[in-house]
Amino acid sequence: MEQAQTNAQRIYDQVLTFATVYGGRILLAIITLIIGLWLIGWIMRLLASVLTKRHVDRDVQPFLLSLVNALLRVLLLLSIASTLGVETTSFVAIIGAAGLAVGLALQGSLANFAGGVLILTFKPFRVGDLISAQGFTGNVEAIRIFDTVLLTLDNRTIILPNGSLSTSPITNISTRGIIRVDQVYTVGNQNGLDATKASIMQVVNACPYALKDRDHDVLIAKLNANSRDYDVRVWTKSDTYWDTYYYMLENIARQFGKDGIEPPKPRMFVTNED
């Protein structure tokens, strides 16, 4: 019985000593945590309001907010560790070593992160732009930190890593707002030059997507043995590129049929061997 009382007294003394020595630090750390989290929330709301008022790009805002939030939380963690008496130098060294290990394990993800920062900073394209990259063509649906989402014309979702996207050629079809649709049509030599050109120009002039304030071209591109190639160049708005492309294909085929413009006739070579 006396032994149990002695053990209880020893535990009580240890708890009392711990509370006396560390209680104040723990209480101060808890207060620091509560006030720090409140301050971080207030700073983040203020920063979001400032970014909105300054009309900072909506694609950049989430990235900046998440980056500042992470930085402030790390500073709060270091402050709490210092309050508890933990050596911050060793603590920072541990964080640095852990960060290095994670960085080596996630090199690809870090490259994609860096690519996302470059894309959001230099803006080779924006959300909604029609681009061609990595062998895919589609509208940019979202620019995220690690990847970019494209929506193709046949409604497929393509996710491109930002690392490779930021270091490879990108064709931004929407940048200028207008674009030229280039097509080549081959007809037989038996068709008259003026008649063929007039037939093509009739379709160009009737195209509802062709810009009226631009000059469109119908040019002879190549003379072949039994045919001629015509370059047809039609200016249109970027968002009606494919409408123009398919309109021209279908209606030129119809117009050629109406005007009697014929395709090349096959040629047969006969050799006489004795």
Side-chain angles (χ1 to χ4, degrees), residues 85-247:
V86 178
E87 289 291 337
T88 55
T89 53
S90 60
F91 194 69
V92 170
I94 293 173
I95 293 178
L100 178 61
V102 172
L104 292 174
L106 301 174
Q107 290 184 21
S109 296
L110 290 177
N112 290 332
F113 175 81
V117 172
L118 291 175
I119 291 172
L120 290 171
T121 301
F122 295 103
K123 303 183 186 305
F125 53 83
R126 298 172 179 270
V127 172
D129 283 356
L130 178 64
I131 70 170
S132 181
Q134 305 283 305
F136 299 98
T137 299
N139 292 96
V140 179
E141 193 172 53
I143 304 173
R144 302 187 296 207
I145 294 300
F146 294 102
D147 53 53
T148 294
V149 181
L150 291 187
L151 184 63
T152 63
L153 301 173
D154 55 356
N155 208 36
R156 288 182 296 165
T157 298
I158 306 296
I159 300 175
L160 301 177
N162 284 337
S164 57
L165 188 61
S166 64
T167 57
S168 61
I170 301 172
T171 301
N172 192 329
I173 300 171
S174 300
T175 301
R176 302 292 182 179
I178 60 174
I179 192 171
R180 195 179 70 187
V181 179
D182 292 353
Q183 295 176 328
V184 178
Y185 293 92
T186 303
V187 302
N189 280 337
Q190 70 274 16
N191 303 290
L193 292 174
D194 294 337
T196 304
K197 276 192 167 186
S199 183
I200 296 174
M201 282 305 302
Q202 188 170 344
V203 177
V204 172
N205 294 331
C207 178
Y209 310 109
L211 299 177
K212 305 305 180 185
D213 58 345
R214 285 271 181 165
D215 293 330
H216 311 291
D217 299 317
V218 177
L219 307 169
I220 296 179
K222 188 177 180 181
L223 299 175
N224 305 304
N226 65 330
S227 64
R228 291 186 296 268
D229 293 343
Y230 289 83
D231 278 351
V232 179
R233 302 170 180 175
V234 181
W235 290 96
T236 186
K237 292 183 178 179
S238 299
D239 54 0
T240 57
Y241 176 88
W242 292 111
D243 296 315
T244 307
Y245 184 91
Y246 290 116
Y247 178 92

